[in-house]
Structures are given as C-alpha cells and as structure tokens.
Amino acid sequence: MNWPGLFAWSTKYHDGTAPSQFTKMTDEDRKFLEKAMEEAFGHIEDPNQVMQEAINQIKAPERTNQSIITALEVMDRSCDDVDCARNAEKLDGIQPLLDLLGTHEGPIRVRALEILALLYSNNPGIQEAGFRRGSMKACLTVVETSPRGSDEREKAFRTLVALVRNMQAFEETFLTSEGGVALTLSFFDRCESSNAREKAMSFARCLLGNGRWPPGEAAALAAGLAPLLRGAAEESIQYRETLAECASEVALAFAASCKDGELQCAVKERLAQIQDTKDEETENEAGSLLQCVEFLSK
C-alpha cells in the first residue's frame, strides 16, 4: 500500500500548523483520499494485508492525527471484504480501535466507533472478542461523558447496540448490570437526534422480540414511546414505522402493563392524524398502530 500517497491529503497540515489544530477532514480532503484509495485498492491482491498495515499505522509510535484518520478510512474500506471483518481480531485490530476511544476525542473517536460498530454488526466472533476486550465499558464511558445530542454519544450507543444485539448473555449483562434500560430510554429524549432515537427504538423492539426486555420496565418503555408518537408527524417514514412497530411489540408482550398509561391514547391520536392525511406511505405505520390498539384492547 502506498501510504505516502494516501497521506498526501493532509500535507496542508504540515506547514507549521500544530497537530492540535487539526479538526476533521473537509469534503475536499475526503474526495482526494477516496480517489487515492480507489487507485491503491485496484492493485491489491490481499485485503487482509492492507487491513494489517492500517492497524499497524494506528499503533505506530510516530503516528499523527492525520495518519490515524487515513488508517481508519483504509480499515473502513477493507471491511467491504467480509473476510477482513471476520479476521479483525486475528489481525489485532479491535484493541487499537478501543484504545483510540480513550486517547482521542472528536472525529477520530467518532470514526473509530463507526468502524467498531461495522465490525460488530451481525458478526458473533468479533462481538465476543470486543466483549472480552472491554468494549462495553469503553463505549459506556463515552456515552456517559459526552453531551446529550452529540455525535460521539450517538455513535457510542450505536456501537454498544452492535456489540450486544442478538447475543443473549451480552444483552442481559447490558440490561441487568450496566443500566441498559435507563440508557436506552434516555435516547428517546428529544434532545437526541432523530437517528439516535430511531436506533434506541429499534433496539428496544429487538429486545422485546427476543423476550429480553425486563417485564418490570414495560410501563417505562410505553411511557417513553407516547411523546414520540405525538411528535411523529415530522419524522421520516422509517422512523415512524420503527416507532409504530416498537409500540406494537410492547403492547403484544406487556398489554397489562400498558393499558392504563399514555401509550394507547398516543397511538389513537397518531392514527387519527394518519386518517386525516390519507397518505399511502403511512400504510405500514398504521398497520402496526392498529395492531397495538388491538393488543391493548384484549
């Protein structure tokens, strides 16, 4: 891999500018690097070797913010190859990424979190490696110390979800020992981004479907969904459908705990809004909300 060629995007930071003044890649920088990577990857026969080189760049004693960012972009590109993602632990790629969460903030931490989430997603072997290496604690620390609504907090939560999703022991540890219920519900807050709220709803829906949402927290989940339903009209189709499906799942699993709360009223109000708009794109959302009403009426 021609690393000097890849580093060329950052030469403007080596004219006396202090490393601490580096913030993030501009669109122009990213286009330059993407073009350089496209050319470099066109001559690569073994993506695993490229990923190993990127990992070594991150671990190098002489590393700079620019070299780390470049290596992270190369790792991301390498993960397009399924074999690379599966071999991340064999190549000693998990620990250096986790270490960056503690040593760096801003764009580098965000990018490291994005790549960790990519590696963990539906990848049980790497999820297990990440769990053994303390990824849950590392991500929880970022979530707890980052401002609400920040990119770092959202990406740390996404990485947590990717780490534990569909791994029973990990999900149960998160929920029972690490305050996972309260943390998930905290992302329902309107000060978080729509994407973060949608991720929290999707995760709660998954836990409900797997039978792992604690029964004693059903009412709290229902109460958290009610205000989101009342503000759903301004959100995207996918957001609204995820919200409606989550409401339906909690009503199916814990109807008795939800009947006396605000959820049923909020669902009916949202259904009335849908009927007024006569929008065909709300068909799936309406179907899930009608199911919710049916479950709560039994």
Side-chain angles (χ1 to χ4, degrees), residues 11-57:
T11 54
K12 64 184 178 182
Y13 296 106
H14 296 286
D15 58 0
T17 302
S20 61
Q21 290 179 272
F22 167 77
T23 54
K24 65 179 181 178
M25 296 177 73
T26 65
D27 290 341
E28 182 182 356
D29 294 334
R30 186 170 296 281
K31 287 179 181 178
F32 180 94
L33 180 55
E34 286 175 351
K35 183 178 180 181
M37 285 196 297
E38 186 175 347
E39 293 175 356
F41 273 82
H43 301 91
I44 296 300
E45 294 184 1
D46 183 6
N48 286 283
Q49 179 60 36
V50 175
M51 190 163 184
Q52 182 69 78
E53 291 181 20
I55 292 166
N56 291 341
Q57 289 286 341

Side-chain angles (χ1 to χ4, degrees), residues 194-195 197-198 201 231-243 270 281-282 285:
S194 292
N195 287 336
R197 294 197 301 274
E198 184 180 331
M201 292 183 289
E234 62 197 51
E235 303 292 350
S236 69
I237 294 172
Q238 181 173 301
Y239 176 105
R240 299 196 309 264
E241 290 181 355
T242 301
L243 173 55
R270 178 59 190 150
E281 292 185 335
T282 61
E285 178 192 1

Side-chain angles (χ1 to χ4, degrees), residues 107-140:
I108 289 177
R109 178 186 278 175
V110 167
R111 203 70 182 99
L113 285 165
E114 289 173 340
I115 294 170
L116 283 168
L118 178 64
L119 291 171
Y120 294 151
S121 183
N122 301 311
N123 196 348
I126 301 302
Q127 287 172 269
E128 290 173 355
F131 191 84
R132 287 195 307 271
R133 289 184 176 276
S135 186
M136 183 176 292
K137 290 288 188 183
C139 291
L140 283 169

